[in-house]
Amino acid sequence: MLPNFFDSVVSLITRTSTDLPPDVRKAMEMALASEERGTRAGQAMTIIAQNIDQAASCEGPICQDTGMPTFEVKVPVGANQIWMKEQIRAAVAEATRRGKLRPNSVDSITGENSGNNLGPGTPIIHFEQWEEGAIEIKLILKGGGCENTNAQYSVPATLDHLGRADRTLEGVRKCILHAVWKAQGKGCSPGAVGVCIGGDRTSGYLHAKEQLFRTLDDRNPDPRLAELEDSIMAAANELTVGPMGFGGKTSLIGCKIGALNRLPASFFVSIAYDCWAFRRLGVRLDAESGAIRSWLYREGETPSVPLLTSEAASAGFPLTGREVRLSAPISEDQIRALRVGDVVLISGPIFTGRDAVHAYLMKNDPPVDLRGGVLYHCGPVVVKEADGRWKVTAAGPTTSIREEPYQADIVKRYGVRVVMGKGGMGPKTLAGLKESGAVYLNGIGGAAQFYARCIERVDGVSLMEFGTPEAMWHLQVRDFPAIVTMDAHGNSLHQDVEEASGAKLEAITPGLR
Ligand code: SF4
């Protein structure tokens, strides 16, 4: 029965996780060209471009968060969907074993990670029958950081900076712009949005995510929605949220809108935000053998054209000479000398910690000495090599705001000097950094391959019972670049960009009736 089906699905997962499709590359190329090289936005875009090229050349995950695998499968009438579902699940487990997917399926009651991306609701597989003879499988990998910035509005609604959003296309426009503004750098901008106007709460979100299967450069066949998409793209890129929320010219690389009928009493606008690591591909399979007959979204096996020239790629991180070099243990004086906007290169030991570690540290002493240390919000992809040593294959920062309730306490209690993650943190942490003499560094979200190359070795691991992404990894790094976005003097770049972009949101003139 379809002897090549399993291998075809493993190939689809591998390519999707490691190589962005041409339409996304084209949009990212334009975003890269739009930012000046010496600026924070320009540096962020250069790292992102390097990361995209590195991932494709080594077949490593573009981002360490390989997301929720979501398959849309079309099958000829009479195909055995039960068997296909089992094969897709087995292919997901195999791709996880090969390090192309991070183990991402967590029991919501016990917190236990299944270790193979299988579990209730994981992966998501939707089947549909069609009249054609081939099998079509589309896959999207959308990570947690951008998933958390999804939004659903029930209009009429009153929105910050925009006032009332009515049940009109102008009201829909306001909701979408509000969602893009709210996402800031948390969803790893520049991103793209899939939108559904109408439906119910469930179908609205589903249809919004389905819009992300359209190519970024297509044209909406409905002229009213095409006009709305154009209007959103123009207005969103006026907000100057910029790459990673650092301020800059490109905040959005795509806006795709669909509509469903609704109940008379309801009017939902559902928005699925996807990050720059917009991993989406598809294949058409022979219905007899399951072999790949053609790829969707890309030209077959043709290698992707790198975003950077080989000189730019080998130049590495674009240094300006003003970077500050830090190595743990870091003193309070070194930290208080830093200001928002400084670029820091970290060398020496750092420790990863995200949700489970922070919950643990609120009740227990740390398994390592964190005094003067660097706590990195990161859930890496780590594989055990033949000689038994651990190797990090993807290690970008995760969204930090989830640790907001705990961070200031942990910094104070254990003497942490540097917290590093992405998307910034809130007022409680900002006050805590000032009180304790610590800083927040923003890494480039999703730059998992770039940062993996800054890790010299894994010295150990604690709290492995939380699963690979949630464990505390002891890493030795060299010249690990990040930007001070919250300093020990009460300054926050995130606050500044949010306020400035909020003012721009207020100034946006109505675009539609
Ligand atoms: S690029 Fe950012 S938002 Fe996207 S999956 Fe990676 S960490 Fe999450």
Side-chain angles (χ1 to χ4, degrees), residues 129-171:
Q129 288 189 338
W130 65 351
E131 297 289 353
E132 297 198 29
I135 300 163
E136 182 182 278
I137 308 181
K138 291 180 179 174
L139 169 63
I140 191 163
L141 300 172
K142 183 170 177 302
C146 52
E147 188 67 14
N148 292 349
T149 58
N150 286 0
Q152 191 170 62
Y153 298 83
S154 175
V155 288
T158 304
L159 310 174
D160 314 323
H161 302 294
L162 287 161
R164 203 180 65 237
D166 295 314
R167 293 181 167 194
T168 59
L169 285 186
E170 178 57 24

CSV table of all heavy atoms in Angstrom, one decimal, residues 129-171:
chain,number,residue,atom,x,y,z
A,129,GLN,N,-11.8,15.2,0.7
A,129,GLN,CA,-11.8,14.4,-0.6
A,129,GLN,C,-11.9,15.3,-1.7
A,129,GLN,O,-12.5,16.4,-1.6
A,129,GLN,CB,-13.0,13.4,-0.6
A,129,GLN,CG,-12.8,12.3,0.4
A,129,GLN,CD,-13.9,11.2,0.2
A,129,GLN,OE1,-15.0,11.5,-0.4
A,129,GLN,NE2,-13.7,10.0,0.6
A,130,TRP,N,-11.3,14.9,-2.9
A,130,TRP,CA,-11.5,15.7,-4.1
A,130,TRP,C,-11.6,14.8,-5.3
A,130,TRP,O,-11.3,13.6,-5.1
A,130,TRP,CB,-10.4,16.8,-4.2
A,130,TRP,CG,-9.0,16.3,-4.4
A,130,TRP,CD1,-8.5,15.0,-4.3
A,130,TRP,CD2,-7.9,17.1,-4.8
A,130,TRP,NE1,-7.1,15.0,-4.5
A,130,TRP,CE2,-6.7,16.3,-4.9
A,130,TRP,CE3,-7.7,18.4,-5.1
A,130,TRP,CZ2,-5.4,16.7,-5.2
A,130,TRP,CZ3,-6.4,18.9,-5.4
A,130,TRP,CH2,-5.3,18.1,-5.4
A,131,GLU,N,-11.9,15.3,-6.4
A,131,GLU,CA,-12.2,14.5,-7.6
A,131,GLU,C,-11.0,14.1,-8.3
A,131,GLU,O,-11.0,13.3,-9.2
A,131,GLU,CB,-13.2,15.3,-8.5
A,131,GLU,CG,-14.6,15.6,-8.0
A,131,GLU,CD,-15.4,14.3,-7.8
A,131,GLU,OE1,-15.0,13.2,-8.3
A,131,GLU,OE2,-16.5,14.4,-7.2
A,132,GLU,N,-9.8,14.7,-7.9
A,132,GLU,CA,-8.6,14.4,-8.7
A,132,GLU,C,-8.0,13.0,-8.3
A,132,GLU,O,-8.3,12.5,-7.2
A,132,GLU,CB,-7.6,15.5,-8.4
A,132,GLU,CG,-8.1,16.8,-9.0
A,132,GLU,CD,-7.0,17.9,-9.1
A,132,GLU,OE1,-5.8,17.5,-9.4
A,132,GLU,OE2,-7.3,19.1,-9.0
A,133,GLY,N,-7.1,12.5,-9.1
A,133,GLY,CA,-6.5,11.2,-8.9
A,133,GLY,C,-5.3,11.2,-7.9
A,133,GLY,O,-4.9,10.2,-7.4
A,134,ALA,N,-4.7,12.4,-7.7
A,134,ALA,CA,-3.5,12.5,-6.9
A,134,ALA,C,-3.8,12.8,-5.4
A,134,ALA,O,-4.9,13.2,-5.1
A,134,ALA,CB,-2.5,13.6,-7.5
A,135,ILE,N,-2.8,12.6,-4.6
A,135,ILE,CA,-2.9,13.0,-3.2
A,135,ILE,C,-2.1,14.3,-3.0
A,135,ILE,O,-1.0,14.4,-3.5
A,135,ILE,CB,-2.3,12.0,-2.3
A,135,ILE,CG1,-3.0,10.6,-2.4
A,135,ILE,CG2,-2.3,12.4,-0.8
A,135,ILE,CD1,-2.2,9.4,-1.9
A,136,GLU,N,-2.7,15.3,-2.4
A,136,GLU,CA,-2.0,16.6,-2.1
A,136,GLU,C,-1.9,16.7,-0.6
A,136,GLU,O,-2.8,16.6,0.1
A,136,GLU,CB,-2.8,17.7,-2.7
A,136,GLU,CG,-2.1,19.1,-2.5
A,136,GLU,CD,-2.9,20.2,-3.1
A,136,GLU,OE1,-2.9,20.5,-4.3
A,136,GLU,OE2,-3.6,20.9,-2.2
A,137,ILE,N,-0.7,17.0,-0.2
A,137,ILE,CA,-0.4,17.3,1.3
A,137,ILE,C,0.2,18.7,1.4
A,137,ILE,O,1.3,18.9,0.8
A,137,ILE,CB,0.5,16.3,1.9
A,137,ILE,CG1,-0.1,14.8,1.7
A,137,ILE,CG2,0.5,16.5,3.5
A,137,ILE,CD1,0.7,13.7,2.3
A,138,LYS,N,-0.4,19.6,2.2
A,138,LYS,CA,0.2,20.8,2.5
A,138,LYS,C,0.6,20.8,4.0
A,138,LYS,O,-0.2,20.3,4.8
A,138,LYS,CB,-0.7,22.0,2.2
A,138,LYS,CG,-0.9,22.2,0.7
A,138,LYS,CD,-1.9,23.4,0.5
A,138,LYS,CE,-2.1,23.7,-1.0
A,138,LYS,NZ,-3.1,24.7,-1.2
A,139,LEU,N,1.7,21.5,4.3
A,139,LEU,CA,2.1,21.5,5.7
A,139,LEU,C,2.5,22.9,6.1
A,139,LEU,O,3.2,23.6,5.4
A,139,LEU,CB,3.3,20.5,5.9
A,139,LEU,CG,4.1,20.6,7.2
A,139,LEU,CD1,3.2,20.2,8.4
A,139,LEU,CD2,5.3,19.7,7.2
A,140,ILE,N,2.1,23.3,7.3
A,140,ILE,CA,2.6,24.6,7.9
A,140,ILE,C,3.1,24.3,9.3
A,140,ILE,O,2.5,23.5,10.0
A,140,ILE,CB,1.5,25.6,7.9
A,140,ILE,CG1,2.1,27.0,8.2
A,140,ILE,CG2,0.3,25.4,8.8
A,140,ILE,CD1,1.2,28.2,7.8
A,141,LEU,N,4.3,24.9,9.6
A,141,LEU,CA,4.8,24.8,10.9
A,141,LEU,C,4.8,26.2,11.5
A,141,LEU,O,5.6,27.0,11.1
A,141,LEU,CB,6.3,24.2,10.8
A,141,LEU,CG,6.5,22.8,10.2
A,141,LEU,CD1,7.9,22.5,10.0
A,141,LEU,CD2,5.8,21.8,11.0
A,142,LYS,N,4.0,26.4,12.5
A,142,LYS,CA,3.8,27.7,13.1
A,142,LYS,C,4.1,27.6,14.5
A,142,LYS,O,3.4,26.8,15.3
A,142,LYS,CB,2.3,28.1,12.8
A,142,LYS,CG,2.0,29.5,13.2
A,142,LYS,CD,0.6,29.9,12.7
A,142,LYS,CE,0.1,31.2,13.1
A,142,LYS,NZ,-0.1,31.4,14.5
A,143,GLY,N,5.1,28.4,15.0
A,143,GLY,CA,5.6,28.2,16.4
A,143,GLY,C,4.7,28.9,17.4
A,143,GLY,O,3.8,29.6,17.1
A,144,GLY,N,5.1,28.7,18.7
A,144,GLY,CA,4.3,29.2,19.8
A,144,GLY,C,4.3,30.7,19.9
A,144,GLY,O,3.3,31.3,20.3
A,145,GLY,N,5.5,31.3,19.7
A,145,GLY,CA,5.6,32.8,19.8
A,145,GLY,C,4.6,33.5,19.0
A,145,GLY,O,3.9,34.4,19.4
A,146,CYS,N,4.5,33.1,17.7
A,146,CYS,CA,3.6,33.8,16.8
A,146,CYS,C,2.1,33.3,17.1
A,146,CYS,O,1.2,34.1,17.0
A,146,CYS,CB,4.0,33.6,15.4
A,146,CYS,SG,4.3,32.0,14.8
A,147,GLU,N,2.0,32.0,17.5
A,147,GLU,CA,0.6,31.5,17.8
A,147,GLU,C,0.0,32.3,19.0
A,147,GLU,O,-1.2,32.6,19.0
A,147,GLU,CB,0.7,30.0,18.2
A,147,GLU,CG,-0.6,29.3,18.3
A,147,GLU,CD,-1.4,29.2,17.0
A,147,GLU,OE1,-0.9,29.4,16.0
A,147,GLU,OE2,-2.6,28.9,17.2
A,148,ASN,N,0.9,32.7,19.9
A,148,ASN,CA,0.4,33.4,21.1
A,148,ASN,C,0.0,34.8,20.7
A,148,ASN,O,-0.7,35.5,21.5
A,148,ASN,CB,1.5,33.5,22.2
A,148,ASN,CG,1.7,32.1,22.8
A,148,ASN,OD1,1.0,31.2,22.6
A,148,ASN,ND2,2.8,32.0,23.6
A,149,THR,N,0.4,35.3,19.6
A,149,THR,CA,0.0,36.7,19.2
A,149,THR,C,-1.3,36.7,18.3
A,149,THR,O,-1.7,37.7,17.8
A,149,THR,CB,1.1,37.4,18.4
A,149,THR,OG1,1.5,36.7,17.3
A,149,THR,CG2,2.3,37.6,19.3
A,150,ASN,N,-1.8,35.5,18.0
A,150,ASN,CA,-3.1,35.4,17.3
A,150,ASN,C,-4.1,36.2,18.1
A,150,ASN,O,-4.0,36.4,19.3
A,150,ASN,CB,-3.6,34.0,17.2
A,150,ASN,CG,-2.9,33.1,16.2
A,150,ASN,OD1,-1.9,33.6,15.5
A,150,ASN,ND2,-3.3,31.9,16.1
A,151,ALA,N,-5.1,36.7,17.4
A,151,ALA,CA,-6.1,37.5,18.1
A,151,ALA,C,-7.5,37.3,17.4
A,151,ALA,O,-7.6,37.0,16.2
A,151,ALA,CB,-5.7,39.0,18.0
A,152,GLN,N,-8.5,37.4,18.3
A,152,GLN,CA,-9.9,37.3,17.7
A,152,GLN,C,-10.7,38.5,18.3
A,152,GLN,O,-10.7,38.7,19.5
A,152,GLN,CB,-10.5,36.0,18.1
A,152,GLN,CG,-11.8,35.7,17.4
A,152,GLN,CD,-12.3,34.3,17.6
A,152,GLN,OE1,-12.5,33.9,18.7
A,152,GLN,NE2,-12.4,33.5,16.5
A,153,TYR,N,-11.3,39.2,17.5
A,153,TYR,CA,-12.1,40.4,17.9
A,153,TYR,C,-13.6,40.1,17.6
A,153,TYR,O,-14.0,39.5,16.6
A,153,TYR,CB,-11.7,41.6,17.1
A,153,TYR,CG,-10.3,42.0,17.3
A,153,TYR,CD1,-9.3,41.4,16.6
A,153,TYR,CD2,-9.9,43.0,18.3
A,153,TYR,CE1,-7.9,41.8,16.8
A,153,TYR,CE2,-8.6,43.4,18.4
A,153,TYR,CZ,-7.6,42.7,17.7
A,153,TYR,OH,-6.3,43.1,17.9
A,154,SER,N,-14.4,40.5,18.6
A,154,SER,CA,-15.9,40.4,18.4
A,154,SER,C,-16.3,41.9,18.2
A,154,SER,O,-16.2,42.7,19.2
A,154,SER,CB,-16.5,39.8,19.6
A,154,SER,OG,-17.9,39.8,19.5
A,155,VAL,N,-16.7,42.3,17.0
A,155,VAL,CA,-17.0,43.7,16.8
A,155,VAL,C,-18.5,43.9,16.9
A,155,VAL,O,-19.3,42.9,16.6
A,155,VAL,CB,-16.5,44.1,15.4
A,155,VAL,CG1,-15.0,44.3,15.5
A,155,VAL,CG2,-16.9,43.2,14.3
A,156,PRO,N,-19.0,45.0,17.3
A,156,PRO,CA,-18.2,46.2,17.5
A,156,PRO,C,-17.3,46.1,18.8
A,156,PRO,O,-17.7,45.4,19.7
A,156,PRO,CB,-19.3,47.3,17.7
A,156,PRO,CG,-20.5,46.6,18.2
A,156,PRO,CD,-20.4,45.3,17.5
A,157,ALA,N,-16.1,46.7,18.7
A,157,ALA,CA,-15.2,46.7,19.8
A,157,ALA,C,-14.5,48.0,19.9
A,157,ALA,O,-14.4,48.7,18.9
A,157,ALA,CB,-14.2,45.6,19.6
A,158,THR,N,-14.0,48.4,21.1
A,158,THR,CA,-13.2,49.6,21.2
A,158,THR,C,-11.7,49.2,21.4
A,158,THR,O,-11.4,48.4,22.2
A,158,THR,CB,-13.7,50.4,22.4
A,158,THR,OG1,-15.1,50.6,22.2
A,158,THR,CG2,-13.0,51.7,22.5
A,159,LEU,N,-10.9,49.8,20.5
A,159,LEU,CA,-9.5,49.4,20.5
A,159,LEU,C,-8.6,50.5,20.9
A,159,LEU,O,-8.8,51.7,20.5
A,159,LEU,CB,-9.2,48.9,19.0
A,159,LEU,CG,-10.1,47.9,18.4
A,159,LEU,CD1,-9.7,47.7,16.9
A,159,LEU,CD2,-10.1,46.6,19.1
A,160,ASP,N,-7.5,50.2,21.6
A,160,ASP,CA,-6.5,51.2,21.9
A,160,ASP,C,-6.0,51.9,20.6
A,160,ASP,O,-5.8,51.3,19.6
A,160,ASP,CB,-5.2,50.5,22.5
A,160,ASP,CG,-5.4,49.5,23.5
A,160,ASP,OD1,-6.4,49.6,24.3
A,160,ASP,OD2,-4.7,48.5,23.5
A,161,HIS,N,-5.9,53.2,20.7
A,161,HIS,CA,-5.4,54.1,19.7
A,161,HIS,C,-6.3,54.2,18.4
A,161,HIS,O,-6.0,55.0,17.6
A,161,HIS,CB,-4.0,53.6,19.2
A,161,HIS,CG,-3.0,53.6,20.3
A,161,HIS,ND1,-2.6,54.7,21.0
A,161,HIS,CD2,-2.3,52.6,20.9
A,161,HIS,CE1,-1.7,54.4,21.9
A,161,HIS,NE2,-1.5,53.1,21.9
A,162,LEU,N,-7.3,53.3,18.3
A,162,LEU,CA,-8.1,53.3,17.1
A,162,LEU,C,-9.5,53.6,17.3
A,162,LEU,O,-10.3,53.8,16.3
A,162,LEU,CB,-7.9,51.9,16.4
A,162,LEU,CG,-6.6,51.7,15.7
A,162,LEU,CD1,-6.4,50.2,15.5
A,162,LEU,CD2,-6.4,52.4,14.4
A,163,GLY,N,-10.0,53.6,18.5
A,163,GLY,CA,-11.4,53.9,18.8
A,163,GLY,C,-12.3,52.7,18.5
A,163,GLY,O,-11.8,51.5,18.5
A,164,ARG,N,-13.5,53.0,18.0
A,164,ARG,CA,-14.5,52.0,17.8
A,164,ARG,C,-14.3,51.3,16.4
A,164,ARG,O,-14.1,51.9,15.4
A,164,ARG,CB,-15.9,52.5,17.9
A,164,ARG,CG,-16.9,51.4,18.3
A,164,ARG,CD,-18.3,52.0,18.4
A,164,ARG,NE,-18.8,52.4,17.1
A,164,ARG,CZ,-19.3,53.7,16.9
A,164,ARG,NH1,-19.3,54.6,17.8
A,164,ARG,NH2,-19.7,54.1,15.7
A,165,ALA,N,-14.3,50.0,16.5
A,165,ALA,CA,-14.3,49.2,15.2
A,165,ALA,C,-15.7,48.7,15.0
A,165,ALA,O,-16.2,47.9,15.9
A,165,ALA,CB,-13.3,48.0,15.4
A,166,ASP,N,-16.3,49.1,13.9
A,166,ASP,CA,-17.7,48.7,13.6
A,166,ASP,C,-17.8,47.5,12.8
A,166,ASP,O,-16.7,47.0,12.3
A,166,ASP,CB,-18.4,49.9,12.9
A,166,ASP,CG,-18.6,51.1,13.8
A,166,ASP,OD1,-19.0,50.9,15.0
A,166,ASP,OD2,-18.3,52.2,13.4
A,167,ARG,N,-19.0,47.1,12.5
A,167,ARG,CA,-19.2,45.9,11.6
A,167,ARG,C,-19.1,46.3,10.1
A,167,ARG,O,-20.0,46.1,9.4
A,167,ARG,CB,-20.5,45.2,11.9
A,167,ARG,CG,-20.5,44.6,13.3
A,167,ARG,CD,-21.8,43.9,13.6
A,167,ARG,NE,-21.7,43.1,14.8
A,167,ARG,CZ,-22.6,42.1,15.1
A,167,ARG,NH1,-23.7,41.9,14.4
A,167,ARG,NH2,-22.4,41.4,16.2
A,168,THR,N,-18.0,46.9,9.8
A,168,THR,CA,-17.7,47.3,8.4
A,168,THR,C,-16.3,46.9,8.0
A,168,THR,O,-15.5,46.5,8.9
A,168,THR,CB,-17.8,48.8,8.3
A,168,THR,OG1,-16.7,49.3,9.2
A,168,THR,CG2,-19.1,49.4,8.8
A,169,LEU,N,-16.0,47.0,6.7
A,169,LEU,CA,-14.6,46.7,6.3
A,169,LEU,C,-13.6,47.6,7.0
A,169,LEU,O,-12.5,47.2,7.3
A,169,LEU,CB,-14.5,46.7,4.8
A,169,LEU,CG,-15.1,45.5,4.1
A,169,LEU,CD1,-14.8,45.6,2.6
A,169,LEU,CD2,-14.6,44.2,4.7
A,170,GLU,N,-14.0,48.8,7.3
A,170,GLU,CA,-13.1,49.7,8.0
A,170,GLU,C,-12.9,49.2,9.4
A,170,GLU,O,-11.8,49.3,10.0
A,170,GLU,CB,-13.7,51.2,8.0
A,170,GLU,CG,-12.8,52.2,8.8
A,170,GLU,CD,-11.4,52.3,8.3
A,170,GLU,OE1,-11.1,52.0,7.1
A,170,GLU,OE2,-10.5,52.7,9.1
A,171,GLY,N,-14.0,48.7,10.0
A,171,GLY,CA,-13.8,48.1,11.4
A,171,GLY,C,-12.9,46.9,11.4
A,171,GLY,O,-12.1,46.7,12.2
